[in-house]
Amino acid sequence: MPEHLITDLQNILGINYVLINEDMIPYLTDWRKKFTGKALAVLLPNSTEEIATIVKTCSKASVSIVPQGGHTGFCGGATPDISGKQVILNLKRMNQVRQIDVENQTITIEAGCILQSVQEIAAQQGFLFPLSLGAEGSCMIGGNLATNAGGTNVLRYGNTRDLCLGLEVVTAQGEIWDGLKGLRKDNTGYDLRGLFIGSEGTLGIITAAVMKLYPLPISQWTTLIAASDIPSTIAILNLFQKRATSLLTGFEMMTHESLKLTVKHFPKMANPLKNDPPFTILVELSDHESEDHVRKLLEDILAQAFDDGLVSDAVIATNLSQANTFWQMREHLTLAQAQEGANLKHDITIPLSALSAFILETDALVKKHYPGARILNFGHLGDGNLHYNIAPPEGVDYLAFNMNNEKAIHDLIYEQVEHFGGSISAEHGIGQLKLADLRNHKGAVAHELMKAIKQALDPKNTLNPNKVVSI
Ligand SMILES: Cc1cc2nc3c(=O)[nH]c(=O)nc-3n(C[C@H](O)[C@H](O)[C@H](O)COP(=O)(O)OP(=O)(O)OC[C@H]3O[C@@H](n4cnc5c(N)ncnc54)[C@H](O)[C@@H]3O)c2cc1C
């Protein structure tokens, strides 16, 4: 690294926007506190041109760059390595709304916009920006795109990839690709936008995006439903899919074990359903037309589910505040697990048709090999997405349990995932956490293709090296 790199960067950004020494501390550890790295500097640019100049300068100095948004990712993708030779490029100052196009129903935003503020700005204009997840108060749109984030509305609106029409990206060579078109059809060759989405900062730095907006629903009804087993849970999902079709906007599953932990850490999050059922399902229906229609539909579907013996209890939220409380129960599952200790997480998807068999078989294997271990299983079940997390038996130290069992438990679960035709990362990505798992489970041909893409777009390995794939 040339001696004058920090001075060069200060000349580009101004001295206040090149953080060094202890000013870097808040940027060095990930949200789960699983990874802590070191860095030469944290850079805080506020324009695409500044980012392009930084990339050229760092590339010339052979210094690699770790892009960072809200730093809420679960795979250590935005955390530098421990060499102290990388720079962090945090995009929080790139937070302008460039355009709201009412007729095209799109919003053009910079990568550092906080997700929740995008939702609020859209709502002020009468639109829904449907991406929604527990970290929405701090994650940023660039991070959402780079991880192809999912969240609670995927069932109806798709994941971040489905919501994006165009991108502006700084390439590994420091060129600016202006792909900020708000087109719903564009078959002009390779899908560059699709390539950068989900690439976790390894192929380019996303600086702005054109995102889709939708009409705000006028009516939303939320209900909690008790189910006794996983086959009934899937049957309830299929019933809602068949009868509510596109009005079904949320279908989340929470197990008794995971809710028990939530109440331990957040006593106000008690389950309003009777007798703490084995499975609590949160269902949301939304409608753009009539308030009464959706309420009646919800009641009819619930009545059928009771008649079919699928449901033992249900509570419909009577007002917005109660609906928010139901959603908070769901969102506090992650926070409660973080407070309890760093459990072994598996963010997986399984085809819905294989989900029951996967859960029954995998639960049995975990119980057999790790007696007393707690399976803290919950997820966006409508998408086949499970957060299949394993915590030590009550009273056993997390660190010791993880140290002794982490690899074997990951291997067991990922072999099951492969056996049932699933994916080892549903929505959180790969980062540094699952680098080896991707190599083992993606398939040799797919893995080589991914390496070839990285090699072609970033041959000097300047952007987020050793995340997703190593070349
Ligand atoms: C409480 C909680 C709940 C969560 N719930 C969900 C959920 O339901 N669904 C879900 O999908 N995720 C969830 N997450 C994970 C996380 O919030 C998402 O992965 C989110 O999209 C990360 O955004 P970020 O801005 O924090 O990105 P960061 O963590 O800063 O970065 C993530 C990755 O993207 C890269 N990156 C960041 N910005 C850019 C950019 N502008 N250009 C190129 N690369 C970039 C980074 O290098 C890194 O590899 C949750 C996290 C928490 C803490």
Side-chain angles (χ1 to χ4, degrees):
M1 195 238 343
E3 287 286 301
H4 48 79
L5 178 69
I6 297 291
T7 317
D8 290 348
L9 294 168
Q10 287 171 338
N11 288 338
I12 299 165
L13 293 175
I15 196 159
N16 290 338
Y17 300 115
V18 179
L19 309 183
I20 51 173
N21 302 327
E22 63 275 11
D23 289 343
M24 297 193 288
I25 291 170
Y27 302 85
L28 297 175
T29 301
D30 73 317
W31 189 87
R32 286 172 62 201
K33 299 189 173 42
K34 197 169 170 64
F35 301 100
T36 296
K38 294 181 184 160
L40 277 174
V42 176
L43 311 178
L44 303 173
N46 82 342
S47 76
T48 305
E49 290 71 24
E50 281 183 356
I51 294 177
T53 313
I54 290 168
V55 173
K56 282 182 186 151
T57 307
C58 288
S59 174
K60 204 162 149 203
S62 298
V63 166
S64 56
I65 298 171
V66 180
Q68 190 177 85
H71 211 182
T72 66
F74 281 150
C75 298
T79 314
D81 64 22
I82 53 167
S83 68
K85 292 180 179 167
Q86 302 185 302
V87 293
I88 296 170
L89 184 83
N90 185 293
L91 283 102
K92 67 178 176 188
R93 291 179 66 227
M94 295 271 302
N95 59 4
Q96 298 302 305
V97 174
R98 294 195 189 163
Q99 191 194 17
I100 297 184
D101 185 336
V102 172
E103 285 182 342
N104 200 38
Q105 305 206 347
T106 50
I107 184 167
T108 305
I109 39 183
E110 292 185 343
C113 289
I114 303 265
L115 172 55
Q116 192 174 322
S117 66
V118 179
Q119 296 164 346
E120 287 166 2
I121 290 163
Q124 282 158 18
Q125 302 288 326
F127 285 111
L128 172 74
F129 181 61
L131 183 63
S132 177
L133 45 119
E136 63 198 19
S138 26
C139 65
M140 297 175 192
I141 207 72
N144 301 146
L145 284 157
T147 55
N148 186 27
T152 50
N153 280 330
V154 174
L155 190 59
R156 165 69 178 83
Y157 298 98
N159 47 35
T160 311
R161 182 186 301 283
D162 301 301
L163 299 173
C164 178
L165 293 176
L167 285 183
E168 179 185 83
V169 174
V170 173
T171 69
Q173 292 69 35
E175 304 292 333
I176 298 170
W177 172 52
D178 180 357
L180 284 178
K181 288 183 177 169
L183 302 176
R184 284 169 173 82
K185 285 190 168 182
D186 179 9
N187 274 352
T188 48
Y190 301 139
D191 181 7
L192 298 178
R193 175 187 43 135
L195 202 53
F196 290 113
I197 296 172
S199 67
E200 301 182 52
T202 61
L203 301 180
I205 296 165
I206 296 169
T207 48
V210 185
M211 307 299 291
K212 289 184 200 169
L213 297 174
Y214 292 83
L216 263 180
I218 60 158
S219 156
Q220 260 171 340
W221 289 95
T222 311
T223 179
L224 289 178
I225 300 173
S228 57
D229 54 29
I230 193 72
S232 309
T233 307
I234 308 274
I236 294 166
L237 169 64
N238 288 154
L239 182 63
F240 271 96
Q241 285 171 319
K242 190 171 161 202
R243 294 206 45 197
T245 60
S246 63
L247 301 191
L248 178 61
T249 44
F251 195 99
E252 301 285 318
M253 182 273 276
M254 306 172 263
T255 55
H256 167 67
E257 277 287 356
S258 33
L259 278 173
K260 197 168 97 184
L261 199 70
T262 307
V263 176
K264 176 176 162 192
H265 292 282
F266 302 99
K268 285 187 179 154
M269 296 291 132
N271 193 344
L273 293 169
K274 292 191 292 270
N275 305 325
D276 285 331
F279 294 89
T280 297
I281 308 164
L282 187 158
V283 178
E284 183 190 79
L285 300 190
S286 312
D287 195 8
H288 293 91
E289 287 175 17
S290 121
E291 182 94 10
D292 293 341
H293 166 67
V294 71
R295 162 97 203 196
K296 167 122 190 23
L297 179 68
L298 177 58
E299 286 170 350
D300 283 356
I301 298 173
L302 282 177
Q304 184 178 344
F306 272 107
D307 286 350
D308 293 350
L310 299 172
V311 168
S312 56
D313 189 17
V315 183
I316 298 178
T318 49
N319 52 44
L320 189 61
S321 150
Q322 200 181 12
N324 287 341
T325 309
F326 291 179
W327 275 107
Q328 277 174 20
M329 269 173 70
R330 164 65 184 85
E331 272 145 24
H332 278 72
L333 297 179
T334 313
L335 305 177
Q337 293 191 18
Q339 290 214 359
E340 175 80 2
N343 59 34
L344 299 176
K345 294 198 180 302
H346 309 90
D347 161 43
I348 56 178
T349 25
I350 305 289
L352 280 173
S353 47
L355 201 65
S356 290
F358 169 85
I359 292 180
L360 293 172
E361 203 177 282
T362 311
D363 283 5
L365 282 171
V366 171
K367 283 176 188 154
K368 179 174 154 203
H369 292 293
Y370 307 94
R374 285 166 293 161
I375 304 171
L376 301 170
N377 186 356
F378 64 98
H380 312 295
L381 201 85
D383 317 319
N385 181 183
L386 286 182
H387 297 305
Y388 194 93
N389 302 336
I390 311 289
E394 279 305 341
V396 173
D397 179 62
Y398 272 75
L399 266 181
F401 179 83
N402 291 353
M403 211 180 314
N404 292 333
N405 302 303
E406 180 162 8
K407 184 170 177 333
I409 288 184
H410 287 330
D411 287 349
L412 183 156
I413 307 252
Y414 293 148
E415 273 161 32
Q416 286 291 102
V417 168
E418 203 167 314
H419 175 68
F420 283 94
S423 165
I424 63 157
S425 177
E427 57 175 11
H428 295 160
I430 300 298
Q432 50 183 304
L433 181 72
K434 293 187 180 173
L435 192 67
D437 299 316
L438 184 91
R439 203 171 44 234
N440 296 335
H441 295 280
K442 184 78 183 171
V445 175
H447 193 247
E448 284 307 312
L449 284 171
M450 286 175 66
K451 280 167 66 178
I453 291 169
K454 170 72 175 169
Q455 185 79 49
L457 269 67
D458 182 18
K460 285 183 74 181
N461 213 7
T462 305
L463 298 180
N464 225 1
N466 300 318
K467 311 281 173 58
V468 186
V469 285
S470 291
I471 55 169

